Amino acid sequence: MGSFAQTNAGKGKITGKVTDAVSKARVDFATVSIFKTGATSPFNGISTDQKGNFKVDNLPAGEYQVRVEFLGYQSKRIDHVTISSTSLTASLGNILLSPVQNQLQGVTISAKAPVVENKIDKLVYNAANDLTAQGGVALDVLKKVPMVSVDVDGNVELQGNANVRFLINGKPSSIFGASLADALQSIPASQIKSIEVITSPGAKYDAAGTGGIINIVLKDSKIQGINGSVNLSAGTRLENGSFNLNARKGKLGVGLFFSGNEQLNTTTKNTTDRFSYNNNRDTISRLFQQGSSPFTRSSYQSGLNFNWSITKDDELTATVGFNHFGNHGTGMTNQDQQSFLSTGSILSDIQSIRNSASRFSANTTDWSMAYKKTFKKEGQELDVLYSSSYGKNTVDASQVSDYLTGGYPSPGLRSHNPGKDHETDISMDYTQPVSKGFTVEAGAKLVLENLNNSVVTDTLLHDGTYVSNPGQTYSFTYKRNIYAAYLSTSFSLFHDFLNGKAGLRYERTNTTADFSGTNIPGYNTFAPSFMVQHKLDETQSIKFAYSYRIERPDYGDLNPFLNVSDPHNISTGNPLLKPEIGHNFELGYNKTFKNGGNIYFSGFYRRNTDDIQSFTTYYKVYSVNGTNYSDVSLTQRYNIGSQTGIGANIFGSVPVTEHLNLRSNIQLGERTNSTPGLASVSGFAYRLNLNATYQFPNNLLAEVFGNYNSSQKNIQGTRPAFAFYNLAIRKQFLNKNASIGLTAANPFNSYVNQRSTAFGPNFNQSNLRQIPFRSFGITLSYKFGKLEFKKNEKEENNVPQQPTEN
């Protein structure tokens, strides 16, 4: 056992770079473990960054053993690494990992990345061993990510804020524009490598998203040779499958994938009871609706990527992907409209049945090309990225009401709503290390968005034929250009006492739309951000961050077209919306333990001005271009005023025994909405979950996961609570290359009951939705491949990296 000096305690560090011994490619995300000499368990560790570099600091003086491991390589052990009072830095230089020269089935790596990694600027949830999400989709994975909450409809919040910017592999995609919930339902969990949560994005990221950024990182392979995987699942509610194939030889690499899923037909029951009043509140109207809605959803995706390491300093990456998803729903609703005096005398009672149908389809093509140039000076590099996303979607809807009393004719509408969108992003980033512990980054970006949408509406006549309705037929074009530039620094101060990042981003937004009588002014945004971290010792650190964020209203928020698929509940956009401004503060503490456990605590304060929210107004009669509708709730988006949020998040992972691991996440907070002319509304909410994993002998693994989201007051009512629980078991065989699993979601409850309320000056409403959530499934997976390496000492190549958004 080495002797540990007391002087300069916790000031030492171990640095190095991990490289492929054959190709000389840098190896990112390799696991670096630090052992005290003679110890059998590591007391510290880290993963290499995208350049293969690592630094473990705040180490006391002493003698250590360093182990480096990564899938597809032989592990590397370095003994007698010494830190002393006279030599506080142990530089290991270039560490060469030798690739395994055999079949994949012969590769056994015991070291695994932790499920949750807390980095200086983001939190990473590694989804590879998520049992209860196997056979599911991206939403099932997101439900287990710290600080993220998902409701039963697939609406996502980050630290209680729904304005989240989603990326795939660091890049935007039109797949999220048409329907976020459908898009997240279309990505199989088997395709996801990790989820990155960025609550305080730096200047390099777009300023959009007052809640922060969620980046979905898809699986890829950087191993030489040919390898791949197949994943299949079948269940009572969801079926999906995916196929991945990767090939790399020398400087060239190519990969392709195909996946698809289908949500089987499920029927949701819905009951709404609304009371409304005249100004004197002596006449009362009641609308009672009760019905059911069968629903199906399906999707498939495919993609191709190409990597070429032109030289050891020049790298080209190209990707193309296609996504399709759609849904189809029908519904029958029994309606009873009553009007009566406050004394109880009935004035009228009209009963009807409304039949509705809708079909949604979206197709998206994404492609990108990235060039990376590295220089002789370590850390100096240039990145250029061109990406383009094309989307095409169609919505067809119809509704007809048949009156059972009163002798009224049967009114009805049908609509056809095709749309196209195209986004092009061009960015350039440059990184320049100035001195030890100080790096400057600068970049610029251009975003071009073009959307075209048209709606053709027909009205049902008394004779059963349809005629064009010009009052609800229109088309529009929407364009938005964003010009951005940023400057940021990474720094280390006071002999590594403080490490941090600080920067400023400028964005100019110009928007044009041919909404009648609407002019959308351009605006400038200056978005500062900073983050500082201090390591208390080798096992714990604290950080503080601030970011300025905006939420631009999109074309769906601005579009003034009236959606009358339910004539009693009409919705529309607001072309006069202004961007929402957010100021986010976060304080975090992270602690790791020798047994592999860790805990992370964060507190946050958020204030949004010109906060964008939906607001509902009741009308006894509402006119739409000459057509009158009775008993109407009109929902529209407004800049309601300000919203303040304060809360905390606690995550913990505890290896109770060698075989049993517990993880839990608790999130709680209060939101206060202040709206001119209305009383302030404050609502407290909490979310908690527990995950238990047990490793049985013979490669058998079991997992239980439970989650509860509480209800919360909002500006016009209450949001419903949501609870669910999942069970899963997986057996691995064929040297862990194949596995079979069983899953169950809410096995003892047929439905999830969602009770909510809404109110306004002249109405109040209660709603009950019964959503089928119980499901059982079986999953199968198999990975295959052969590693083939051919050494060429005259050539060196770098592993292509996934470009990230700026």
Side-chain angles (χ1 to χ4, degrees), residues 157-180:
E157 291 186 344
L158 178 54
Q159 290 186 336
N161 191 315
N163 296 324
V164 181
R165 180 167 175 79
F166 276 87
L167 305 173
I168 294 181
N169 291 334
K171 299 186 292 292
S173 173
S174 293
I175 188 177
F176 296 124
S179 170
L180 178 60

Side-chain angles (χ1 to χ4, degrees), residues 235-270:
T236 57
R237 192 165 54 90
L238 180 69
E239 297 178 342
N240 65 39
S242 64
F243 171 76
N244 293 70
L245 180 64
N246 300 280
R248 173 168 290 279
K249 186 175 180 62
K251 295 183 176 183
L252 298 178
V254 64
L256 62 89
F257 76 90
F258 179 86
S259 64
N261 66 52
E262 181 176 8
Q263 178 182 315
L264 305 180
N265 189 50
T266 57
T267 300
T268 298
K269 301 177 182 179
N270 190 76

Side-chain angles (χ1 to χ4, degrees), residues 128-206:
N129 290 305
D130 191 335
L131 284 194
T132 54
Q134 64 178 328
V137 293
L139 283 175
D140 298 305
V141 180
L142 284 167
K143 290 171 184 176
K144 304 178 76 173
V145 177
M147 297 184 287
V148 176
S149 58
V150 182
D151 70 13
V152 72
D153 296 312
N155 300 307
V156 180
E157 291 186 344
L158 178 54
Q159 290 186 336
N161 191 315
N163 296 324
V164 181
R165 180 167 175 79
F166 276 87
L167 305 173
I168 294 181
N169 291 334
K171 299 186 292 292
S173 173
S174 293
I175 188 177
F176 296 124
S179 170
L180 178 60
D182 278 310
L184 295 175
Q185 287 273 9
S186 73
I187 304 174
S190 59
Q191 287 290 100
I192 298 175
K193 175 183 178 182
S194 62
I195 304 285
E196 298 180 344
V197 175
I198 308 171
T199 53
S200 300
K204 188 175 182 179
Y205 293 92
D206 286 348

Side-chain angles (χ1 to χ4, degrees), residues 253-369:
V254 64
L256 62 89
F257 76 90
F258 179 86
S259 64
N261 66 52
E262 181 176 8
Q263 178 182 315
L264 305 180
N265 189 50
T266 57
T267 300
T268 298
K269 301 177 182 179
N270 190 76
T271 302
T272 301
D273 199 3
R274 185 178 68 208
F275 291 86
S276 55
Y277 312 89
N278 64 354
N279 292 334
N280 296 325
R281 300 184 75 87
D282 55 10
T283 301
I284 304 170
S285 297
R286 183 190 184 191
L287 173 65
F288 182 81
Q289 296 176 300
Q290 187 173 57
S292 59
S293 305
F295 182 84
T296 61
R297 177 188 280 117
S298 61
S299 68
Y300 60 86
Q301 306 81 35
S302 62
L304 179 69
N305 63 76
F306 173 79
N307 307 127
W308 179 24
S309 297
I310 306 170
T311 71
K312 67 182 181 66
D313 296 323
D314 300 274
E315 176 185 293
L316 190 66
T317 303
T319 65
V320 61
F322 178 77
N323 300 275
H324 165 81
F325 57 84
N327 60 57
H328 177 229
T330 59
M332 185 180 73
T333 304
N334 295 293
Q335 304 179 130
D336 188 0
Q337 293 175 262
Q338 292 182 337
S339 180
F340 51 90
L341 299 176
S342 56
T343 59
S345 300
I346 296 178
L347 301 178
S348 64
D349 188 350
I350 302 173
Q351 299 178 14
S352 62
I353 297 177
R354 180 171 60 87
N355 291 283
S356 61
S358 66
R359 185 178 296 275
F360 171 75
S361 175
N363 297 287
T364 301
T365 302
D366 299 324
W367 71 276
S368 68
M369 183 167 291

